[in-house]
Amino acid sequence: MLKILYIHQYFTTPQYSGGVRSYEFAKRLVARGCQVSMLTSDAFFKPESHQGLNRSYQVKVDGIDVNVIHAPYSNRSGFLFRVFAFIKFMFVCCLYAYRFRKYDVVYVTSTPLTVAVPALFLNKVFNMTMYFEVRDLWPDIPIELNIIKNRFIKFCLKKFELYVYRSAKKVVVLSEGMREEIVKKGISDEKLLLIPNASDVAFFDSCMKKKQPHKFELDAIRQQAIIGLYAGTFGYANDLSYVVELAKELKGRGANFSFFLIGDGAERDKLKKLVKSYNVNDVVKFLPAVSKEELVGYIQAADFCISTVRNSPALYNNSANKFFDALAAGRPIVINHEGWMKKSIDNNGLGLVLNYDIGGSAVKLEAFFSSYDIVTGEKRIKAYAKSHFDRELLFNRLYQSVFSNHNIN
């Protein structure tokens, strides 16, 4: 039996909020006969039976042995608090990792980059095969956003990033843009494996059969206005002020659009004040973060999903779950940036690409939905999702390229 240690600081399941990529992959590895132990924090993974416990614990989830390290984290917290959370998890994770020193493989997924440290410990000291998954380009993003300013720290982080890539047997990337950027850093393209996020069409379809009270609430609004949905982090990089500005412009034009912002983050209170100052409380609504299962109902009740980032090239290569979830529901995705997603949308009729000109973007959005055919659009988008981002398809690619190369006793 192949023994895999899977390290993901922000592991979660469909019963809680957050992306479920690691859960879906780990669950499938177990089904293939592998023993999977997950090392994670209690940032998002908080089963009810352990709520309020300020300690680490173990729990089994769909065959996955989940080891939860107490390392409080909130995307509402300041930069220094988050850095402390990264460092705490890194050190405690190294202590936990020692228990798994006789495992065959360590598969670690970022961010942050510090999660690579316990994997490197096992790789260098116990010769365990290491695979590294890049979800976001660190330290490129915090450096380009001017969050990390110290030259020496920048130098050290860039050197460490390359050391991680070179130490890994393979580096899994989530977008073509990420692959191109890492190749520019001197890493061989042969070492890189592209496995994007997935569109779980079957999961979304099954959720449609369940009773979703809030869905009918949105459906009522949908009769009067076109609903745009954002679900995710309210962070600096996401720049949700763009959505508020867009809502203001559309309202001023007399266009019937409403936006629902689902989630939490450091920018939430600031955004609420902006909504109030622009007098768009009637067309911009805030909802708390919900589980993936609940989120499906909201997405299916919306007319389109929206994903925004600050105008920074380092952010254009992201592989946002919002993009893939929209496709899984057959909803057009609206973004405001360049990159691989723009090409996919433009080339395959998956939605609309706006820019940072709010006035022009409002006109473009209104024109798009004045002639958009929902029925044919849903069929086209779902078909594309199934052929390009099906979960089983992507897992099989990962399994054949990574885990099948190891002997299972």
Side-chain angles (χ1 to χ4, degrees), residues 179-192:
R179 177 158 67 182
E180 291 172 359
E181 290 301 315
I182 292 175
V183 168
K184 289 178 185 177
K185 296 172 188 283
I187 303 301
S188 169
D189 189 51
E190 294 179 357
K191 175 172 266 197
L192 305 180

Side-chain angles (χ1 to χ4, degrees), residues 135-136 175 178 307 309 314-320 337 340-341:
R135 289 177 178 244
D136 284 308
S175 77
M178 290 182 192
S307 179
V309 297
L315 297 171
Y316 299 165
N317 297 316
N318 77 95
S319 186
H337 56 85
W340 75 272
M341 279 191 279

Side-chain angles (χ1 to χ4, degrees), residues 246-266:
L246 189 62
K248 178 188 176 185
E249 182 69 25
L250 287 164
K251 182 179 179 180
R253 291 174 53 82
N256 291 323
F257 281 80
S258 287
F259 293 88
F260 283 79
L261 309 182
I262 301 177
D264 201 359

Side-chain angles (χ1 to χ4, degrees), residues 166-180:
R166 288 166 181 158
S167 299
K169 186 171 183 179
K170 272 207 176 286
V171 177
V172 178
V173 295
L174 273 66
S175 77
E176 184 60 45
M178 290 182 192
R179 177 158 67 182
E180 291 172 359

